[in-house]
Amino acid sequence: MQNDLPPALTITPPDRPLSGRVSPPGSKSITNRVLLLAALAEGTSRLTGALKSKDTDLMALALREMGVQVDEPDATTFLVTGKGWLDAPDAPLFLGNAGTATRFLTAAAATIDGTVIVDGDEDMRLRPIKPLVDALHALGIDAASPTGCPPVTIQGRGSFGHGRVEIDASLSSQYVSALLMAAPRGDGPIEVALAGKDIGARGYVDLTLSAMRAFGAQVEDQQDGSWLVQPTGYRATDFHIEPDASAATYLWGIEALTGGKIDLGIAANAFSQPDAAAQAVLAQFPNMPEVIDGSQMQDAVPTIAVVAAFNNRPVRFVGIANLRVKETDRIRAVANELNRILPGLAREEGDDLIVAADPDLATRLQGRNSRIKIETYHDHRIAMSFALAGLLVPNIVILDPACTGKTYPEYWQMLTDLGVELTPEAG
């Protein structure tokens, strides 16, 4: 369905609980990490269970442009053959609105002997990258980002340097991960330290460390907000990528709202990704907590917020300021679209999101015949989260459904396979 999606889809609420077996796609976060690590290694790595989506396609293409052989023998496998280093590309690297690829390759480009321009689309050009550029400067690397956002021009020198570097990770843990993954290509040990205690989603740094070690890196967590990385480089390895926990949140949301049971083939506690913590929260529906800290499961917040609209009591989401600098301002987007369903359903309070909640919401809206057009802001997570509202509320229309191809190309087919009726619209 993904290849021929219309401008909009209307969702008809199913008349039964949704149950079945669904295999979520591979983790985007892990796929893009191990693609880069395999590219920096010498030899061939087989990456299985991988996500094939717009974001990972952009990463793979950028690596090819830097002299890495990336083959795709099947729908969930990458074969990556690296030389132990990256070559300067002939043209700027275009990474769309892929935040992981943009941040990771900005640091990795500093290991190249030559000039690299890392750029993205108009949305990516609004997403901050200055903390990472400042950290590169501290390592003696010539990097320039005139707007504080992409494009970034890096004058690589073939090594990542050595010494201590501090990074402000309050906006994104991806800055830390970017530095850590490039650090084994230094010419001496590199200590990466947090500037302050704030860090977005620390669990994603743990994902990075685990992947690095799998590819032979020697990195020590010094437990004081710093990590010491040795200049070992990387070795090729075979790596299996677990399913995407962020994608799983939609399936857990479906269970909560329809009373169904979906077998994901993996238990929630078997995920290593931080968004898996959302399962324990969603399992409490319709009595989810009055305050939910989303700081360590940021991509799950839109899912939980839409489900919270049907909760028995209001929910305040805290620790989510970083959502303002995702693919869109997700705090504002979620509030706007919940209020499109029913005015007063949500509001912003500083960087908190308050969902008023109405356990009778679906019943109250049953007789409304007007279509509720959900603006998705080119953001895959807004589209997928608000599709859940359409499981209970009639006439929900998702605009630009194709944006889900960023991380979950088969999302709409998954809903169809579970028995949800989707009607193409002109938009």
Side-chain angles (χ1 to χ4, degrees):
M1 176 179 288
Q2 186 66 39
N3 293 330
D4 55 357
L5 285 170
L9 285 172
T10 295
I11 302 169
T12 299
D15 58 2
R16 59 177 176 80
L18 298 181
S19 299
R21 174 73 184 266
V22 176
S23 297
S27 165
K28 179 199 75 171
S29 298
I30 298 176
T31 298
N32 268 350
R33 281 165 171 78
V34 297
L35 275 171
L36 176 58
L37 299 181
L40 290 170
E42 182 177 359
T44 299
S45 301
R46 177 180 288 269
L47 312 178
T48 55
L51 171 67
K52 303 290 184 73
S53 72
K54 185 174 182 180
D55 272 17
T56 60
D57 287 347
L58 287 167
M59 173 64 101
L61 177 60
L63 294 174
R64 292 182 181 111
E65 291 173 351
M66 291 184 287
V68 180
Q69 181 177 335
V70 182
D71 298 316
E72 302 183 39
D74 60 51
T76 59
T77 301
F78 287 107
L79 284 180
V80 182
T81 302
K83 298 173 289 189
W85 67 85
L86 303 175
D87 297 327
D90 294 330
L93 300 176
F94 178 77
L95 296 164
N97 197 15
T100 53
T102 299
R103 277 76 176 260
F104 296 169
L105 290 178
T106 294
T111 71
I112 292 173
D113 185 9
T115 301
V116 183
I117 298 174
V118 176
D119 201 359
D121 62 18
E122 60 183 12
D123 293 317
M124 193 68 228
R125 288 185 171 191
L126 298 175
R127 299 178 68 179
I129 202 166
K130 185 177 185 296
L132 180 56
V133 172
D134 289 346
L136 295 178
H137 287 163
L139 286 167
I141 296 163
D142 184 355
S145 172
T147 66
C149 301
V152 185
T153 301
I154 305 102
Q155 305 290 343
R157 59 188 187 187
S159 166
F160 205 59
H162 63 275
R164 177 183 169 88
V165 58
E166 292 191 352
I167 178 72
D168 178 357
S170 58
L171 285 177
S172 177
S173 65
Q174 290 175 7
Y175 305 147
V176 178
S177 290
L179 292 174
L180 289 170
M181 286 190 289
R185 288 282 292 130
D187 52 26
I190 294 176
E191 183 181 12
V192 178
L194 295 178
K197 296 181 180 179
D198 292 338
I199 179 171
R202 169 65 184 263
Y204 285 101
V205 175
D206 295 334
L207 283 185
T208 300
L209 297 175
S210 178
M212 289 173 63
R213 289 169 178 143
F215 282 82
Q218 294 180 25
V219 52
E220 177 186 352
D221 187 339
Q222 302 190 113
Q223 303 299 322
D224 62 350
S226 69
W227 299 265
L228 184 63
V229 186
Q230 300 298 326
T232 56
Y234 291 107
R235 63 170 181 263
T237 191
D238 293 344
F239 190 101
H240 183 71
I241 297 159
E242 70 182 42
D244 193 283
S246 303
T249 66
Y250 310 115
L251 302 170
W252 296 325
I254 291 170
E255 285 185 325
L257 291 177
T258 73
K261 182 63 178 176
I262 298 176
D263 178 7
L264 277 66
I266 179 174
N269 61 9
F271 286 95
S272 63
Q273 302 155 73
D275 275 0
Q279 191 276 336
V281 176
L282 290 164
Q284 297 177 61
F285 179 82
N287 296 303
M288 294 192 297
E290 294 181 28
V291 178
I292 295 175
D293 185 346
S295 62
Q296 300 305 307
M297 50 177 181
Q298 296 172 11
D299 284 346
V301 169
T303 307
I304 302 172
V306 170
V307 174
F310 305 89
N311 202 46
N312 282 337
R313 56 192 176 196
V315 177
R316 175 185 288 267
F317 293 86
V318 301
I320 60 171
N322 292 10
L323 268 65
R324 294 206 184 275
V325 292
K326 297 289 188 178
E327 281 81 342
T328 189
D329 179 344
R330 286 182 178 158
I331 299 174
R332 181 148 300 167
V334 171
N336 285 348
E337 300 316 304
L338 284 176
N339 289 328
R340 200 182 302 276
I341 293 173
L342 183 70
L345 193 54
R347 73 180 190 277
E348 302 172 59
E349 193 169 286
D351 286 326
D352 291 356
L353 173 67
I354 295 92
V355 179
D358 184 347
D360 297 320
L361 180 62
T363 301
R364 290 177 57 185
L365 296 178
Q366 283 300 317
R368 189 162 75 178
N369 294 321
S370 58
R371 297 158 76 236
I372 305 169
K373 295 185 178 182
I374 300 296
E375 174 60 57
T376 54
Y377 310 89
H378 310 295
D379 190 331
H380 54 134
R381 302 220 180 276
I382 300 301
M384 291 187 282
S385 296
F386 275 87
L388 301 184
L391 302 180
L392 297 182
V393 176
N395 295 312
I396 292 285
V397 181
I398 305 297
L399 303 179
D400 186 24
C403 70
T404 62
K406 191 173 193 295
T407 54
Y408 199 160
E410 300 303 321
Y411 182 78
W412 304 109
Q413 186 62 55
M414 175 273 293
L415 287 180
T416 299
D417 291 344
L418 285 174
V420 179
E421 182 180 343
L422 304 174
T423 304
E425 301 285 349

